[in-house]
Amino acid sequence: MKVFARAQRLNQRTLLLCLLTALVAVSLVSLLVGAGNVSPSQALSMLLGGEDSEAYFVVWELRAPRTLMGIAVGMALGVSGALLQAVARNPLAEPGLLGVSAGAAFAVALALVLGASAATLRISVAQLGALIGCLCVLGVARWRGVGNDPIRLVLAGAAFSALLGAMTSLMLLFDQRSSDEVRFWVIGSLAGRRLEDLLAVLPSAVVCSVLIALIARPLSALALGERMASGLGHHPQLIRALVVLCVALLVGAATAIAGPIIFVGLVVPFIARAFAGPDIRRTLWFCLPIGPLIILAADIISRVVVAPSELPLGVLTALCGAPVLIAAVRARRLPTL
């Protein structure tokens, strides 16, 4: 058994290394393809030491910040999806489906309509909206045991998201002046984002990293049941509160950067568990490269599929993620967490 476990860990490390290598390759493609009138060969020549000023501007001022933000958003959504599924013990729990992203987007849109524009204000407002949305949906989930039924939980989250979407649309009708800016937060996109937006969310990322390192082991014990976790000396209520806080900070920061992007938090943990098994600690490690891989791949496709225009990233992830959700719902037996 020890030999088998050691071989399994070695295989997982090899898989993780392969995923990290793939992430480096996709990041390079993200620098070579997309925004700006610079061909991939011109961009590659500049990266290898060329002195093309136009290529330098396009690659380092337009594409590099976009690539870095795609990596950050992918990590945040992937990890938050795994945390939310683990604490809800529901494989369909996903920030985009359960109204967390919609809560963040609604809060940001409301702040913009009321006149806010500072990056720090948008981030804090988005995180507050995500926290309220997360608490509302999980509160409904625990009410009369709805959280034990994956389908009913998704339906409750979808209804909450639709309600927030309708309220956001009403704001668009009443405030045409800021409708273009608000519309960005509704569809989700990495285009036109500044590096300062990414730097503004770093404090939240550091706080979340520390909290996740502290709660990873207790959260893994919670998968065995509340009594078992309490018997091992952990505090289930405190663990849940910290997980909800981490999810709100991560989803709020990702929404403040790129707008609401759904299905990524659903798909990434599914793939990560296929590689890592049910242990949340190993799943989180695999979510770190898989999330950025999906976001960057979708962003690259969104740049070239209708060139010279761009398809919104949120629309593309919805088109690709919907079949995954349908397949998961139609599965005869959903995995238990």
Side-chain angles (χ1 to χ4, degrees), residues 51-337:
E51 298 182 353
D52 188 333
S53 58
E54 183 181 1
Y56 181 91
F57 174 81
V58 168
V59 171
W60 293 119
E61 299 296 330
L62 298 180
R63 297 177 186 174
R66 186 168 179 165
T67 302
L68 291 175
M69 281 183 278
I71 293 173
V73 170
M75 286 183 177
L77 294 178
V79 169
S80 61
L83 289 174
L84 195 56
Q85 291 177 10
V87 76
R89 303 186 68 180
N90 188 324
L92 296 183
E94 196 265 336
L97 288 177
L98 299 189
V100 185
S101 299
F106 173 76
V108 170
L110 180 62
L112 290 173
V113 169
L114 294 177
S117 59
T120 52
L121 177 61
R122 289 207 303 266
I123 292 168
S124 60
V125 169
Q127 290 171 336
L128 179 61
L131 179 60
I132 295 174
C134 191
L135 290 175
C136 288
V137 175
L138 289 181
V140 171
R142 293 183 67 81
W143 181 48
R144 295 185 179 180
V146 172
N148 297 327
D149 187 337
I151 308 302
R152 292 178 66 187
L153 178 62
V154 171
L155 291 176
F160 186 68
S161 298
L163 175 63
L164 292 176
M167 295 172 68
T168 304
S169 298
L170 284 176
M171 286 192 292
L172 286 172
L173 291 176
F174 285 106
D175 191 345
Q176 290 294 325
R177 180 182 58 83
S178 57
S179 61
D180 289 339
E181 194 170 7
V182 173
R183 191 174 294 113
F184 164 80
W185 301 104
V186 177
I187 58 176
S189 175
L190 291 174
R193 297 294 89 194
R194 302 171 304 167
L195 193 58
E196 289 77 7
D197 296 328
L198 178 60
L199 297 176
V201 304
L202 283 182
S204 298
V206 173
V207 171
C208 287
S209 299
V210 174
L211 288 177
I212 291 172
L214 293 175
I215 64 176
R217 182 183 292 272
L219 187 59
S220 178
L222 190 61
L224 302 174
E226 288 195 18
R227 290 184 179 180
M228 182 65 74
S230 299
L232 293 173
H234 303 302
H235 304 282
Q237 296 298 332
L238 178 61
I239 297 169
R240 289 195 183 91
L242 291 176
V243 168
V244 170
L245 178 62
C246 287
V247 170
L249 291 176
L250 291 172
V251 176
T255 306
I257 292 176
I261 298 175
I262 62 172
F263 290 122
V264 175
L266 171 71
V267 174
V268 172
F270 260 82
I271 300 174
R273 279 195 294 274
F275 290 140
D279 192 323
I280 183 63
R281 292 168 293 183
R282 289 196 294 269
T283 300
L284 290 174
W285 279 111
F286 276 87
C287 286
L288 291 176
I290 294 174
L293 269 173
I294 291 178
I295 288 289
L296 288 182
D299 188 48
I300 292 170
I301 294 173
S302 72
R303 302 179 206 174
V304 300
V305 70
V306 291
S309 301
E310 292 189 9
L311 193 67
L313 178 60
V315 174
L316 192 63
T317 57
L319 290 174
C320 298
V324 177
L325 175 64
I326 294 172
V329 171
R330 286 179 57 86
R332 290 186 176 181
R333 182 177 181 275
L334 290 171
T336 56
L337 300 177

